Amino acid sequence: VDVWLCDWADTMAGDEGITHAAAVAQLLANDFQGAEERLRADVRASPWHALLFAQIAFARAVLSLAPGDAEDALQRCWDADAVANEAGPQGGGVMSALFGAGAAEEQDVAAGLEQQLVKADAHLMGAVMQLLLGRYIRAGLNFRNGWNLYHAAAATLESTPEAVPPELKCIID
């Protein structure tokens, strides 16, 4: 599990933050079912929710090496990618939702980076699942897609470092 997801879960406000922080703790303790139960209701609430839900299935699949678990994890990776696409700049993004419709350019950059990072993780986890399932060419293409998304995020960080919040800088660096 990425450290930034744990930090994100801890910084969420109210009872929802407690629920998601507890889900991350359950995931780290290999209590996959408990973590899924906590997150299932709002898996489409944001790209981060969808990615964490995918990471639960990913961890289970890596530990079990069962084809059924790998298929489930792969589907959740593509679901997280779809949620990130829906929340992209055309949909306002997570940062725009937090800071209002008149969000400054910095929030737009941050929202675009959040979208790229979720998509990159989804593609890389999906590629690993495709390797487990013997889909080597598709896996290679998704490794490349994930790498390109991370590379684009690094280029954005280099070109506009002041617009990138610290919690995203640590993921890209």
Side-chain angles (χ1 to χ4, degrees):
V1 173
D2 293 330
V3 171
W4 55 270
L5 271 177
C6 295
D7 291 341
W8 165 81
D10 288 339
T11 59
M12 290 186 66
D15 292 337
E16 186 178 334
I18 294 168
T19 299
H20 291 91
V24 171
Q26 286 177 303
L27 173 59
L28 294 174
N30 294 334
D31 180 8
F32 303 120
Q33 185 175 3
E36 286 174 331
E37 288 171 8
R38 287 186 184 275
L39 293 173
R40 189 173 308 279
D42 51 61
V43 70
R44 298 192 66 79
S46 77
W48 300 118
H49 290 84
L51 184 63
L52 181 55
F53 198 63
Q55 286 181 326
I56 294 167
F58 177 83
R60 181 178 27 246
V62 168
L63 292 173
S64 72
L65 298 176
D69 289 342
E71 287 287 354
D72 182 41
L74 182 60
Q75 183 57 51
R76 288 189 193 184
C77 289
W78 301 153
D79 290 345
D81 183 65
V83 171
N85 285 334
E86 293 166 7
Q90 67 278 6
V94 175
M95 296 302 281
S96 294
L98 293 174
F99 296 105
E105 183 178 325
E106 289 184 8
Q107 281 86 22
D108 292 340
V109 169
L113 281 174
E114 285 182 352
Q115 180 188 25
Q116 283 180 314
L117 294 171
V118 168
K119 290 175 66 64
D121 271 8
H123 278 272
L124 292 176
M125 290 189 311
V128 172
M129 292 302 97
Q130 288 171 326
L131 283 177
L132 287 174
L133 294 167
R135 301 173 188 164
Y136 304 115
I137 294 174
R138 289 181 184 178
L141 292 173
N142 282 302
F143 275 125
R144 182 174 182 229
N145 287 340
W147 169 257
N148 287 339
L149 287 162
Y150 276 121
H151 189 13
T156 301
L157 176 60
E158 288 178 18
S159 66
T160 57
E162 66 285 343
V164 179
E167 64 271 13
L168 296 180
K169 283 182 184 177
C170 73
I171 299 168
I172 298 168
D173 282 342

